[in-house]
């Protein structure tokens, strides 16, 4: 064993992964198009990977409801969406006051292009679980729930301003 500089070690690993990716692309059967069914995704990392992929594949808009901590962890993905001129709507406890949510620190909801949804809890555990679907009825129901939540937040904000609260 001989230690090598970190940069060389990482370059070797990235090159190896690139070769593996090429081999898999050449030899794997074609993936099926996502179905309109439901898929349960378990484990924090698997859920985060799916969320990253959904945002990466978005073409028009993304709705994301999560805690401020989770939003901060996804800041780069959100920034890239904005760079691609994709509409992003965030519901969180750490963004503008009128969009605050309460009691949902571990809840995460993501809608991509009004086609796919992911919803569940992210606590940081390998036992975390989310539901992913392209089922039109489910997508529409979650969109409507998020619209209602935004409306309630707006109405609550207006009510506080009318009472003189800030």
């Amino acid at each position: 064993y001989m230690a090598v500089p970190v940069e060389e070690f990482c370059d070797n690993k990235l090159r190896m992964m690139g070769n593996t990716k090429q081999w898999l692309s050449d030899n794997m059967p074609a993936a099926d198009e996502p179905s309109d069914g439901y898929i349960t995704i378990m484990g924090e990392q698997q859920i985060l990977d799916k969320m990253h992929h959904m945002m990466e594949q978005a073409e028009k808009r993304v709705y994301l409801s999560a805690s401020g901590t989770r939003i901060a962890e996804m800041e780069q993905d959100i920034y890239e969406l904005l760079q691609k001129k994709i509409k992003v709507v965030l519901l969180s406890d750490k963004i503008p006051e009128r969009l605050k949510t309460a009691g949902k620190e571990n809840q995460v909801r993501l809608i991509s292009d009004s086609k796919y949804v992911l919803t569940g809890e992210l606590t940081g555990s390998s036992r975390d679980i989310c539901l992913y679907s392209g089922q039109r009825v489910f997508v529409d129901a979650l969109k409507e729930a998020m619209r209602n939540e935004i409306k309630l937040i707006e109405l609550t904000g207006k009510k506080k301003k009318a009472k003189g609260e800030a």
Side-chain angles (χ1 to χ4, degrees):
Y1 170 80
M2 183 176 102
V4 296
V6 172
E7 190 168 320
E8 180 181 342
F9 175 79
C10 290
D11 287 345
N12 291 339
K13 293 298 177 189
L14 290 172
R15 187 174 30 263
M16 183 181 72
M17 288 177 65
N19 292 339
T20 302
K21 180 180 177 182
Q22 185 59 50
W23 185 89
L24 288 171
S25 294
D26 294 342
N27 294 289
M28 290 283 291
D32 294 333
E33 283 295 313
S35 70
D36 287 343
Y38 301 91
I39 299 170
T40 302
I41 302 172
M42 295 186 68
E44 179 189 30
Q45 190 57 54
Q46 291 75 15
I47 294 167
L48 291 172
D49 288 344
K50 189 62 172 177
M51 291 177 73
H52 170 77
H53 183 75
M54 288 174 71
M55 287 189 274
E56 193 175 69
Q57 298 299 308
E59 296 175 357
K60 295 178 183 170
R61 67 187 63 84
V62 168
Y63 299 87
L64 175 60
S65 174
S67 70
T69 304
R70 289 291 176 190
I71 297 288
E73 291 170 0
M74 297 174 198
E75 186 176 345
Q76 185 60 37
D77 289 322
I78 295 166
Y79 178 76
E80 289 171 11
L81 289 168
L82 295 172
Q83 291 294 101
K84 294 190 297 187
K85 306 283 189 229
I86 293 173
K87 180 181 177 182
V88 178
V89 176
L90 300 174
L91 286 171
S92 181
D93 58 346
K94 298 251 171 60
I95 55 177
E97 186 68 27
R98 66 185 181 87
L99 296 179
K100 281 196 169 187
T101 59
K104 299 179 180 177
E105 306 81 33
N106 297 325
Q107 184 182 59
V108 48
R109 293 178 291 169
L110 174 62
I111 303 172
S112 174
D113 289 335
S114 298
K115 292 180 185 176
Y116 302 104
V117 299
L118 182 135
T119 183
E121 281 196 320
L122 271 175
T123 65
S125 165
S126 62
R127 300 178 77 175
D128 288 345
I129 190 164
C130 280
L131 183 68
Y132 169 81
S133 178
Q135 181 68 273
R136 185 86 209 146
V137 172
F138 190 60
V139 171
D140 289 344
L142 192 58
K143 278 175 57 179
E144 184 65 24
M146 288 180 78
R147 266 194 296 268
N148 290 339
E149 186 174 351
I150 291 168
K151 193 64 165 170
L152 283 172
I153 292 166
E154 288 173 347
L155 291 172
T156 303
K158 287 178 184 176
K159 193 174 186 180
K160 284 182 182 179
K161 283 184 181 180
K163 288 183 176 180
E165 299 175 23

